[in-house]
Amino acid sequence: MTRQIVLAGAAAALLGGCSAGAADSGPALGTSQPQAAMFAAASGTVAERVLAVHNRTRAAAGVPALSWDAQLAAGATAYAAELARRGQLVHSPRQSRPGQGENLWMGSAGAYTPEFMVQSWADERRLFRAGTFPSVSTTGNWADVAHYTQMIWRSTTHVGCAIQRSGRWDVLVCRYSPAGNRDGQPVP
């Protein structure tokens, strides 16, 4: 019997869509392209599926759809490969992705679909309350909804994501531009 592992934590954060040094994650994937970027362009079916979950989530929040950005996806691909090799979920330094937000997810290799991975961020909505960031969580901890708020951030217009697999882990990295989760701004 194989044990499935899912890591969870805070994602996009203040003033850059990420918590410096904070672990972040969620569930993993179910395709058969080991150690290769699962997608880097919107024409790929995985990219379309991930973008669709983002845009359904945004539509439900009443904000405009995102567009796929190949440059964001390329950056996400490189960083997802690094995280998969390390087997550890840590946000990239903000200076390496100026103006970009970042959501991270990690789980057992082959155990989860791309939709499940992104939906795990969207499911943080159950703890969300509309308001001024960072006071947007029913728990009082903005990190409990940070993936979701980055997904629905009104001024964010573009996303690019990548999934990488190591022997043990699938890692999803999504990059957003402009970054969300800005102090003093309304959500959504």
Side-chain angles (χ1 to χ4, degrees):
M1 177 177 199
T2 303
R3 183 175 174 189
Q4 295 177 354
I5 300 172
V6 176
L7 304 175
L14 303 170
L15 300 175
C18 140
S19 302
D24 173 43
S25 63
L29 155 91
T31 68
S32 60
Q33 298 174 2
Q35 297 185 328
M38 296 283 176
F39 54 92
S43 61
T45 60
V46 175
E48 291 170 348
R49 292 159 58 191
V50 167
L51 183 61
V53 176
H54 275 88
N55 285 334
R56 277 194 303 272
T57 301
R58 288 177 66 86
V63 295
L66 296 173
S67 296
W68 188 261
D69 186 296
Q71 286 186 300
L72 292 173
T77 298
Y79 194 60
E82 179 181 330
L83 292 177
R85 278 191 302 276
R86 290 163 69 183
Q88 182 181 21
L89 218 49
V90 177
H91 279 288
S92 63
R94 287 187 188 134
Q95 63 270 25
S96 72
R97 52 181 171 81
Q100 297 175 12
E102 180 175 78
N103 278 353
L104 306 177
W105 183 98
M106 176 185 266
S108 298
Y112 304 93
T113 65
E115 291 88 351
F116 183 92
M117 296 174 192
V118 177
Q119 187 62 46
S120 70
W121 298 334
D123 288 346
E124 293 172 357
R125 180 186 64 205
R126 73 187 184 286
L127 300 175
F128 172 76
R129 71 164 179 241
T132 301
F133 196 84
S135 300
V136 292
S137 174
T138 60
T139 68
N141 182 0
W142 65 267
D144 291 340
V145 297
H147 298 100
Y148 174 70
T149 55
Q150 175 58 81
M151 288 178 73
I152 65 162
W153 201 262
R154 185 173 297 280
S155 63
T156 297
T157 57
H158 290 81
V159 66
C161 306
I163 300 171
Q164 289 279 335
R165 179 172 290 164
S166 68
R168 185 171 179 194
W169 304 109
D170 283 334
V171 175
L172 168 64
V173 174
C174 287
R175 298 266 174 96
Y176 302 85
S177 181
N181 293 356
R182 302 258 179 204
D183 280 345
Q185 299 296 311
V187 187

